[in-house]
Amino acid sequence: MLCRNPGVVLDDEVTEGDGDARMSHVQQRDVPVGKALKWTSVKFLQHIPGDLTLMPTEKVRFCEAVSRAAEGEWILTPETVCCAGAQRCFGWLKGADRDLAWKLADKLQVSATTAGTAIADVPILPERFEAVWVGTDSAPDVYVAYVLPETAMRIVRSWQRIYGTSLPLTVSGIMSVCGSVVVNSYVNHTVSLSFGCPDSRRYGGIRREQLVVAMPADLLTKMRRATEDTDVLFSGG
């Protein structure tokens, strides 16, 4: 069954404060970014919960569920996710990297070797999970959000403030919400950033001016406690 096109690009991302271009850098630091950033929650489940009403009635992409989390909770399983990339990153599609590489090579007009290397760089969940929960719960494994560049900058600076080092990043243009961001943050316990991929921008509601950012829930809590951006960037949920 093919994924449907949701036909709607959600526009609920926080609007950055315009500020005054003539303000000093010190003053700009304290200008609110806008209303509190809305994080989408992702939790990996070892067992499928009994409430089957949360499962989509049609197959969807993971990025679509993320973009529509404000409408309600989602329980995603191998049978309800139609994107092979997401299935692979969640550990539901075994031994498929070679086939995925040929498809990606054809799409990008690169060699199968190059495509295979790009795919191999995207992490896979190391544990066996039967389902993925997506919603706005306050106790997830990973938080993910679509943000403007200034918001991403503040998140990176918060990392530097806490750890005293630059944020190490590996940026990929494939599996950009599921694997390169959400799974990467879970597996490597870090902040992940992505510019999206064509499918996530088409189906996942990422606007042209937005980036994708994710981090483990405990890291967001640490940032909330350590930064002056508490009520703006790191409110969670």
Side-chain angles (χ1 to χ4, degrees), residues 59-134:
K59 287 191 174 185
V60 297
R61 287 171 171 80
F62 172 74
C63 55
E64 180 186 350
V66 168
S67 73
R68 298 176 60 191
E71 300 175 17
E73 303 172 51
W74 298 71
I75 297 291
L76 304 177
T77 65
E79 294 74 29
T80 60
V81 173
C82 66
C83 175
Q87 289 192 353
R88 178 252 186 207
C89 295
F90 296 151
W92 297 338
L93 190 61
K94 304 291 187 180
D97 280 15
R98 182 180 176 86
D99 289 339
L100 291 175
W102 281 109
K103 293 177 182 179
L104 182 63
D106 183 62
K107 182 181 294 186
L108 299 183
Q109 294 298 295
V110 298
S111 71
T113 299
T114 297
T117 300
I119 290 171
D121 285 342
V122 180
I124 300 173
L125 288 175
E127 306 165 57
R128 170 65 182 174
F129 295 101
E130 292 187 356
V132 178
W133 179 90
V134 181

